[in-house]
Amino acid sequence: AVEGLNLLMGECPIIAKSVQDLTQDDVKDFTVVIASRLGVEDAVRIAGYVTKQAGHHFILTDSFGLNGAAILDYGPNCMYRPEQGKKLLDPKQLEPYLPMSDILKVPLSKATNRFFKKAPPPIYVQYRCMLEYVQQKQDDRWLDAIKDPEPTTVDDWHAVATDFAGTQHAEALGITKESCEEWARVYMAELSPVCAVLGGILGNEVIKLISGKGEPANNTVLVDGSALKVWTYLVKEKV
């Protein structure tokens, strides 16, 4: 079906393996790898495989309810040419660079800036808790939204999220039983308008990465559908 949509793509190989069994040889020939529905360990491992190749890039992305997020690992030597009107300036390196492993290690209590002084944006907090939940529960039930979360599901979410918050030394994350009930309801809900917006943004990022024209987004992309807002946020430990 993909080949039929774009005849210039050529053959699109299908790798009949589980995510856990993927090796570096499986991904080494792909300039850009975009993945979703991964836990923390698989995301770090595959990002390491991809970005070990010079000029290769990895994007982890998911949508959940009205929100969406992407964590970007473009490799240590991502070069681009800034645009000034229609003129392309001299190549420069995208900075600062944090690999996927370092981004996910940054304590949420230190992933702050002058606008978010006590904790990062709530959407990023939600996404990190979601990744942690998937990692701990190895939950692959991403197909349908939970319309009425069962108490056990909400309790599981609350236990994982509060435990994760404790390891992050962040008391201002706003994790409550009510927020966990909402997260349990929407973390498997992929709404087509949100997917279209996030997919379009990341598609544009891929074009910039391949062409080297224009400054790519760095570190993260966050989508807040209720506020009709999309922005990047630098997840880097504040010193």
Side-chain angles (χ1 to χ4, degrees):
V2 175
E3 294 175 26
L5 290 172
N6 190 340
L7 299 178
L8 299 177
M9 288 185 65
E11 183 180 358
C12 296
I14 297 176
I15 301 173
K17 286 184 177 181
S18 67
V19 170
Q20 291 76 16
D21 294 332
L22 287 177
T23 67
Q24 186 169 337
D25 286 340
D26 295 323
V27 299
K28 67 180 182 180
D29 295 328
F30 297 94
T31 304
V32 181
V33 173
I34 302 176
S36 62
R37 305 177 181 178
L38 299 183
V40 173
E41 291 181 5
D42 285 330
V44 169
R45 178 174 57 85
I46 297 174
Y49 291 160
V50 174
T51 57
K52 191 173 183 179
Q53 307 289 322
H56 288 208
H57 319 285
F58 180 76
I59 298 173
L60 174 67
T61 184
D62 290 288
S63 67
F64 32 96
L66 292 175
N67 302 327
I71 302 177
L72 316 172
D73 184 348
Y74 291 159
N77 299 302
C78 181
M79 304 296 293
Y80 70 97
R81 297 185 67 182
E83 294 178 304
Q84 189 177 71
K86 295 183 178 181
K87 181 181 178 181
L88 289 175
L89 305 181
D90 292 337
K92 62 183 300 184
Q93 187 168 327
L94 183 65
E95 293 180 332
Y97 169 68
L98 274 76
M100 181 70 63
S101 57
D102 287 358
I103 294 174
L104 296 178
K105 284 180 182 177
V106 174
L108 297 183
S109 60
K110 296 186 177 180
T112 56
N113 63 21
R114 59 177 179 157
F115 300 108
F116 296 89
K117 297 182 179 180
K118 295 184 178 180
I123 291 174
Y124 183 73
V125 174
Q126 181 181 0
Y127 190 39
R128 281 295 286 111
C129 288
M130 187 173 80
L131 295 176
E132 196 67 26
Y133 182 85
V134 174
Q135 180 65 44
Q136 291 192 26
K137 297 298 181 180
Q138 294 297 312
D139 196 333
D140 58 0
R141 301 173 302 130
W142 291 70
L143 299 180
D144 299 300
I146 303 177
K147 294 182 180 179
D148 296 304
E150 298 178 0
T152 53
T153 305
V154 176
D155 290 343
D156 284 347
W157 256 104
H158 193 238
V160 170
T162 51
D163 180 64
F164 174 65
T167 66
Q168 301 298 296
H169 310 292
E171 299 177 354
L173 296 183
I175 296 175
T176 64
K177 198 69 173 284
E178 290 73 20
S179 64
C180 289
E181 181 176 345
E182 177 64 19
W183 294 353
R185 180 179 291 111
V186 304
Y187 95 105
M188 294 181 292
E190 297 178 330
L191 303 182
S192 54
V194 179
C195 294
V197 171
L198 184 55
I201 292 168
L202 296 180
N204 190 50
E205 288 301 306
V206 171
I207 292 173
K208 288 189 285 186
L209 291 171
I210 294 175
S211 67
K213 298 179 180 179
E215 182 175 357
N218 190 13
N219 205 267
T220 70
V221 172
L222 305 177
V223 176
D224 185 341
S226 60
L228 301 178
K229 179 180 178 181
V230 178
W231 75 105
T232 62
Y233 187 83
L234 181 62
V235 177
K236 182 180 180 182
E237 187 166 344
K238 187 178 180 181
V239 294

